[in-house]
Amino acid sequence: MIGDIRLRPFAETDLDWLVEAHATLYAREAGFDASFGPLVETILQRFLLNHDSVRERGWVAEHDGHRLGSIFCVESPQPSWAKLRLFLVLPQARGFGLGQHLLDTCLGFARGVGYDGLTLWTHESHTAACALYEKNGFALEAEKPVTNFGCDLIEQTYKIAF
């Protein structure tokens, strides 16, 4: 199926879909409350208004006109580092290598535009994503217990230097 999947730049017309996809999936799979969707929307609105088109990018994966996932590479507050954001693979697209393809695209872009490394924020409960990060050389930098989105979670920060 990967051969038939197209990665294209995120567009403003994807905003509502991506907010809804994140909110629905994380509510169903992680028990997140209604505060998660507005956070995703804020991140996307900021991206649309302020992103550096040379050093920041968002991708949407599509197959036969159906959106299946996303990933974003944006500048991190840490100088010369990028931040991975809004990594999503819908359940029907899992198990075909799409997550790896999206991650490879993001890592390749970050290296290609000269970032020194990539950081990301996630939760321990996202076991498949965490395993994928570790498989690709990311190291767990920090973790702490938090209450976010109506859930008690272990927040994690991963990093990879290039």
Side-chain angles (χ1 to χ4, degrees):
M1 179 158 129
I2 285 297
D4 296 339
I5 292 178
R6 173 174 85 99
L7 296 189
R8 62 162 177 79
F10 169 77
E12 188 170 357
T13 54
D14 296 312
L15 188 142
D16 290 341
W17 167 79
L18 197 49
V19 170
E20 179 64 25
H22 270 84
T24 300
L25 188 66
Y26 282 86
R28 183 173 57 237
E29 293 187 354
F32 284 13
D33 67 16
S35 67
F36 187 60
L39 171 64
V40 173
E41 184 171 10
T42 298
I43 291 166
L44 291 170
Q45 290 286 2
R46 286 184 185 150
F47 180 84
L48 286 169
L49 291 173
N50 301 317
H51 82 278
D52 175 340
S53 62
V54 174
R55 295 184 49 83
E56 297 180 303
R57 194 83 29 100
W59 297 269
V60 172
E62 282 187 333
H63 181 311
D64 287 337
H66 298 283
R67 298 174 185 118
L68 300 174
S70 67
I71 197 165
F72 284 71
C73 180
V74 299
E75 287 191 83
S76 168
Q78 182 179 347
S80 75
W81 277 68
K83 186 181 211 180
L84 185 154
R85 301 209 81 174
L86 301 174
F87 187 20
L88 179 76
V89 177
L90 295 182
Q92 64 268 31
R94 294 177 184 161
F96 299 101
L98 178 57
Q100 184 66 60
H101 184 52
L102 285 163
L103 187 57
D104 287 343
T105 299
C106 186
L107 287 165
F109 174 80
R111 284 185 184 103
V113 297
Y115 286 112
D116 292 336
L118 192 65
T119 186
L120 65 92
W121 169 79
T122 190
H123 295 104
E124 180 184 61
S125 59
H126 302 147
T127 54
C130 293
L132 184 62
Y133 301 139
E134 290 172 2
K135 175 185 160 200
N136 283 274
F138 283 83
L140 180 62
E141 280 288 303
E143 61 182 357
K144 66 179 178 180
V146 296
T147 300
N148 282 338
F149 318 117
C151 299
D152 292 330
L153 303 162
I154 305 295
E155 182 178 282
Q156 297 180 319
T157 303
Y158 282 84
K159 286 187 173 184
I160 185 171
F162 302 144

